[in-house]
Amino acid sequence: METVMEIDEFWRIVETARQQPGPVDEALVDLLAARSPQEVIGYQRQFDLLHRAVYRWDLWAAAHLLEGGCSDDGFTDFRAGLIVQGRDWYEKAARSPDSLADHPAVLADAPDGDCFEFSREAVGYAAARAYERLTGDRDDFYAATSRTPAERAAAEAGLGKQFDFEDDAELARHLPRLAALYR
């Protein structure tokens, strides 16, 4: 089993990518491709830990509000986008999804439109693309970073209490500030 990248180093890479011109996913690929294949796998393992930690109903409801609906795939992309908002926003949202009501992109888009700032599918593939650039092969990357059945079950068990995203009263109870902006 490969090592997980140290959390501070992971966030340094994300912050450096955020400061680069152009799409953050492209910056991540470039930064990761300058490292060893083992470091790229370590980055992905840390990404996966953070990504799974915010696999929760309350954050899914926030994504649903912000994006005007949110499928399984959409929530995967939302969580990737949350990670590349940087450590501060990630930790705020992980503690309290309703804190996203203070995010500049959310404030700029509400109430007239949907906020897709967090929908970043390509971010989830940045490490795989960097690994392929380094080695010419993605298969080894996916073999090294695939989740075990126990890891998948643990992620699904941590979702928290489910509630109806279409029920305005439930949304207002769980996410009062976001609901006030988007409903």
Side-chain angles (χ1 to χ4, degrees):
M1 182 165 168
E2 301 292 330
T3 359
V4 174
M5 180 176 277
E6 193 273 323
I7 190 75
D8 291 330
E9 181 62 14
F10 175 89
W11 287 119
R12 273 191 290 278
I13 292 169
V14 169
E15 288 303 325
T16 302
R18 288 172 44 76
Q19 303 307 315
Q20 304 302 307
V24 69
D25 62 288
E26 293 296 332
L28 280 170
V29 172
D30 292 342
L31 290 166
L32 292 169
R35 293 171 171 263
S36 72
Q38 293 75 26
E39 288 176 297
V40 175
I41 289 170
Y43 169 91
Q44 184 65 43
R45 288 196 164 277
Q46 185 61 255
F47 180 92
D48 290 344
L49 289 171
L50 293 166
H51 199 253
R52 281 194 297 271
V54 291
Y55 185 59
R56 303 189 330 240
W57 289 116
D58 56 352
L59 276 157
W60 202 332
H64 177 83
L65 276 170
L66 294 175
E67 297 180 355
C70 189
S71 67
D72 292 354
D73 288 343
F75 189 48
T76 296
D77 301 344
F78 175 87
R79 291 178 289 138
L82 181 58
I83 290 169
V84 295
Q85 296 305 308
R87 189 176 203 165
D88 185 48
W89 278 109
Y90 174 88
E91 290 177 351
K92 282 180 189 177
R95 278 190 307 275
S96 171
D98 207 31
S99 69
L100 290 171
D102 296 325
H103 191 282
V106 171
L107 292 169
D109 289 338
D112 297 326
D114 296 329
C115 179
F116 290 101
E117 172 66 21
F118 300 92
S119 185
R120 301 289 181 98
E121 179 181 14
V123 166
Y125 299 103
R129 291 176 52 217
Y131 190 91
E132 183 175 34
R133 188 184 293 175
L134 285 167
T135 67
D137 182 19
R138 275 196 203 188
D139 292 341
D140 288 344
F141 174 84
Y142 288 119
T145 60
S146 65
R147 295 185 336 185
T148 66
E151 288 172 321
R152 284 191 295 276
E156 291 174 13
L159 276 165
K161 186 177 184 314
Q162 186 174 4
F163 59 94
D164 184 359
F165 300 167
E166 297 299 327
D167 183 330
D168 288 346
E170 281 288 299
L171 284 171
R173 190 166 67 78
H174 289 277
L175 303 165
R177 297 172 58 221
L178 280 174
L181 287 172
Y182 282 90
R183 289 293 183 180

